[in-house]
Amino acid sequence: MRSSDALRERKALPDLAPDEAAVVHYGREFFRTHRVSRGAFQAALEQFGRQGVVELGLIMGNYSLLALLINAF
């Protein structure tokens, strides 16, 4: 099963590179709970640095905003 199929079907992901795994875990927590645990934050921080984590959050937030607007119109 491909990673995109596993994500869509909310199944366990195949082995991912550390940077990919950090993004997926961060994003899952961000969208499911509207918060990010220390573990997910730390993993992202180790992979991307402080600026990268800020940009990751901004990209995910921007995606959410656009999705809400598209659904509204």
Side-chain angles (χ1 to χ4, degrees):
M1 177 177 284
R2 293 183 348 216
S3 296
S4 59
D5 294 333
L7 279 171
R8 182 177 41 256
E9 296 173 18
R10 297 183 183 190
K11 297 193 179 205
L13 293 172
D15 290 333
L16 297 173
D19 60 337
E20 294 172 332
V23 170
V24 169
H25 292 127
Y26 190 97
R28 280 183 169 173
E29 289 187 15
F30 184 87
F31 289 112
R32 287 181 183 162
T33 67
H34 307 289
R35 297 185 183 275
V36 178
S37 68
R38 282 189 179 175
F41 180 84
Q42 188 63 37
L45 189 62
E46 289 171 7
Q47 290 298 315
F48 309 113
R50 188 178 305 172
Q51 182 68 31
V53 174
V54 170
E55 291 175 6
L56 179 62
L58 289 170
I59 289 168
M60 290 181 177
N62 190 46
Y63 171 80
S64 295
L65 172 69
L66 293 174
L68 288 170
L69 286 172
I70 290 169
N71 286 334
F73 295 107

